Amino acid sequence: MSDESEEQKLLPVERVEAFELEGPSKIKGWTEFHVRSMEEAKEMWEIAAPAILTSVAQFSIGFITTAYIGPLGQVELAAVSIVQNVLEGFVFGAMLGMGSAVETLSGQAVGAGDYQTLGIHLQRSFIITFITALFLTPLYLFTSPLLKIIHQDEIISEAAGNYAIWVIPQLFAYAFNFPIQKFLQAQSKVWVMSVISVVVVGFHTFLNWLLVFRYGLIGAAIAGNISWWIIVFAQMIYIVSGFFPESWTGLSFSALTSLFEFLKISLASALMLCLETWYPSIVIILVGWLPKANVAVDAISICANMEFWTLMITYGFSAAVSVRVSNELGAGNHRAAKLAVGVTLVTSTLVGIMFAAVTVATKDEFPKMFTSESAVIKETAKLGYFLAVAILINSIQPVLHGVAVGAGWQTQVGWINAVCYYLIGLPAGGLLGFKFQLGLQGIWFGVLSGLLLQTLVLLLMLLRTNWSDEVSHAEERIQLWTQPYQH
């Protein structure tokens, strides 16, 4: 066989490495780098686009519920908002984190061509997340007394407690949904997941119209329960219907083995993500202690909503880079993993710059989409530059988290989050906001300092990474988890 035909058979990443070894002309080397970067960008978008669509669609389920509840009255709206933003915000980080062990292990297994373990990892994750949901259930059962303990309005607390009990089925839907998502993402099978989510959003709108005005909060809870379980069942039917002959071979008792080791990885992921997702909630509590707290809380809530919508985009990039890094490390392609990080980071940062620029340009206008109160509009406009900086940082930081999950660095990043957010960011915000009387702007400046420090530390960690060593770590992890299935 000729040398030319051998070269044509090489994968793109192998061809790049061949050029580096053979030392061709500089122009030809850059041409190959450009070609591979474009190919990597295409692969990244094939995962990121449906991941973004899925995130937006599933977030819209809660958004639609709130929109239908609003006309019922302020008490009902406040009750649903508390459950969604406080209770489910707390639960979201825990459940997503506990389900993320599948992301690291399955992603690297796919890269190594070891598909037989994916179904076992999924079933293990089901067990772990289901037990986690059982432990979290008392939070739903005792929502009302817990809210009263922290001096929330009694009528709102009662309404929120009643609604929380009715949405317990959604908690268990999360327990199955997150592992399923990671299982599908690891294999880059994400478009079906997006289509299911979009279709369910349309159906959820109809359910709310049918149930909310007739049954109130209970009708909203039932609509949410039905919609979330349709998503879970539809995705599971897709998995077991023969589309994954290698990675899903049915239920297995092997899923009951090595649960403790799997739990340790799950807990590390949960620690990393919980410290991340709880941070904004604690900031809102800090703001609530300021003088004229109503205006301050409304202003920070508007900014949080704007920030969250932009995070929908960057979370798609986070999912994409996690899959690409884990796949390439599992396949032993350290240069391809490094390239995936670079391409995704540059793309997400450019998107962040665009969103930040739009935020600054419209800082006096975007608050009007949320409120007509002049005091709130004015206070929110003052935060426009802070919001733009937060959006820019949040275009980088989720990608770094995605790299951490793909490479299996959850424990290290969890500690970094704890120090930067809770030992530096929040105390700095408290000092600036209260001790130095800088108010809302002081609190957010301190919080941003923690976020910026965390991002810089993760970037430094990334720059110092030896990707060849990460391939070795991935090989060790794959061997460890495939031992029980080797005959």
Side-chain angles (χ1 to χ4, degrees):
M1 187 178 293
S2 67
D3 292 339
E4 183 178 357
S5 61
E6 284 290 345
E7 183 181 349
Q8 289 173 347
K9 291 180 65 178
L10 290 175
L11 294 173
V13 65
E14 294 170 329
R15 293 178 68 185
V16 173
E17 293 179 9
F19 275 107
E20 291 181 4
L21 292 172
E22 294 167 10
S25 68
K26 187 174 182 180
I27 296 177
K28 192 173 183 181
W30 275 108
T31 300
E32 285 296 321
F33 175 76
H34 175 74
V35 169
R36 182 60 188 127
S37 295
M38 292 300 100
E39 291 172 349
E40 178 57 46
K42 180 176 178 293
E43 292 186 45
M44 180 268 293
W45 274 109
E46 286 175 352
I47 301 169
I52 291 167
L53 187 58
T54 301
S55 296
V56 171
Q58 293 187 359
F59 170 74
S60 297
I61 291 176
F63 184 80
I64 290 167
T65 297
T66 303
Y68 273 91
I69 286 293
L72 297 183
Q74 291 183 349
V75 171
E76 289 82 358
L77 180 60
V80 171
S81 296
I82 286 175
V83 171
Q84 288 183 345
N85 296 322
V86 179
L87 178 60
E88 292 185 341
F90 177 86
V91 166
F92 182 87
M95 296 303 292
L96 179 59
M98 295 302 284
S100 290
V102 177
E103 195 167 1
T104 302
L105 297 176
S106 294
Q108 294 184 358
V110 167
D114 178 33
Y115 286 87
Q116 62 175 334
T117 61
L118 269 63
I120 305 300
H121 292 327
L122 178 61
Q123 293 170 59
R124 281 199 185 101
S125 191
F126 282 161
I127 295 169
I128 297 295
T129 53
F130 180 80
I131 294 173
T132 303
L134 289 176
F135 277 105
L136 292 173
T137 299
L139 293 177
Y140 285 74
L141 294 173
F142 299 106
T143 293
S144 181
L146 288 172
L147 289 173
K148 291 175 183 177
I149 287 173
I150 59 175
H151 305 293
Q152 297 297 304
D153 181 87
E154 271 202 39
I155 297 176
I156 294 175
S157 297
E158 289 292 339
N162 185 41
Y163 179 73
I165 291 172
W166 277 92
V167 296
I168 288 176
Q170 291 180 42
L171 167 64
F172 288 89
Y174 301 154
F176 291 96
N177 180 60
F178 291 134
I180 290 171
Q181 282 191 344
K182 303 308 178 184
F183 173 87
L184 295 173
Q185 285 177 0
Q187 300 170 84
S188 301
K189 304 291 186 181
V190 282
W191 275 111
V192 170
M193 185 168 62
S194 301
V195 171
I196 290 170
S197 298
V198 170
V199 170
V200 168
V201 166
F203 182 64
H204 181 69
T205 304
F206 169 74
L207 279 177
N208 275 271
W209 173 81
L210 188 67
L211 298 173
V212 170
F213 296 122
R214 182 175 297 182
Y215 302 107
L217 287 178
I218 293 175
I222 292 172
N225 295 341
I226 293 172
S227 297
W228 273 107
W229 276 103
I230 288 175
I231 289 175
V232 171
F233 280 127
Q235 290 176 153
M236 201 62 217
I237 289 171
Y238 173 52
I239 290 173
V240 303
S241 295
F243 293 100
F244 301 87
E246 292 182 281
S247 55
W248 180 264
T249 56
L251 299 175
S252 172
F253 284 109
S254 297
L256 300 175
T257 63
S258 305
L259 278 176
F260 181 70
E261 288 77 9
F262 196 89
L263 175 62
K264 288 193 293 185
I265 300 175
S266 299
L267 286 172
S269 297
L271 172 67
M272 182 184 79
L273 287 166
C274 285
L275 292 174
E276 182 73 33
T277 56
W278 296 346
Y279 195 47
S281 299
I282 297 173
V283 171
I284 292 176
I285 292 173
L286 275 179
V287 171
W289 294 340
L290 289 170
K292 298 182 180 178
N294 288 343
V295 172
V297 169
D298 285 347
I300 198 76
S301 297
I302 289 172
C303 290
N305 268 298
M306 292 290 291
E307 190 177 354
F308 192 82
W309 279 108
T310 61
L311 277 171
M312 291 291 177
I313 310 298
T314 52
Y315 279 150
F317 294 129
S318 177
V321 77
S322 175
V323 172
R324 294 294 302 129
V325 167
S326 60
N327 285 178
E328 296 298 352
L329 290 180
N333 298 327
H334 66 277
R335 289 188 179 90
K338 188 175 181 179
L339 182 63
V341 173
V343 169
T344 310
L345 199 54
V346 168
T347 305
S348 186
T349 303
L350 290 174
V351 171
I353 291 171
M354 180 186 69
F355 281 137
V358 171
T359 300
V360 171
T362 62
K363 65 183 179 66
D364 296 316
E365 301 300 325
F366 75 76
K368 297 176 184 177
M369 296 189 299
F370 299 90
T371 183
S372 58
E373 295 288 336
S374 58
V376 177
I377 293 172
K378 185 178 179 181
E379 190 66 29
T380 307
K382 290 179 182 177
L383 299 174
Y385 293 106
F386 290 94
L387 177 59
V389 172
I391 287 173
L392 180 56
I393 296 174
N394 280 328
S395 70
I396 300 170
Q397 183 248 31
V399 174
L400 301 177
H401 271 207
V403 176
V405 173
W409 301 340
Q410 289 95 325
T411 301
Q412 300 96 305
V413 175
W415 285 111
I416 292 170
N417 286 353
V419 172
C420 294
Y421 288 164
Y422 296 90
L423 295 183
I424 297 175
L426 287 175
L431 282 173
L432 292 172
F434 297 98
K435 179 69 175 177
F436 295 98
Q437 299 183 346
L438 295 178
L440 179 54
Q441 293 181 357
I443 290 176
W444 208 356
F445 184 84
V447 167
L448 280 178
S449 69
L451 181 61
L452 178 60
L453 178 62
Q454 183 248 27
T455 303
L456 292 174
V457 171
L458 290 180
L459 281 172
L460 180 61
M461 181 178 173
L462 187 65
L463 291 171
R464 292 171 60 87
T465 298
N466 185 319
W467 290 98
S468 296
D469 289 345
E470 294 305 321
V471 167
S472 300
H473 296 327
E475 290 174 351
E476 292 170 3
R477 194 176 291 116
I478 292 166
Q479 289 175 4
L480 173 66
W481 288 97
T482 54
Q483 279 179 350
Y485 319 111
Q486 292 173 347
H487 302 285

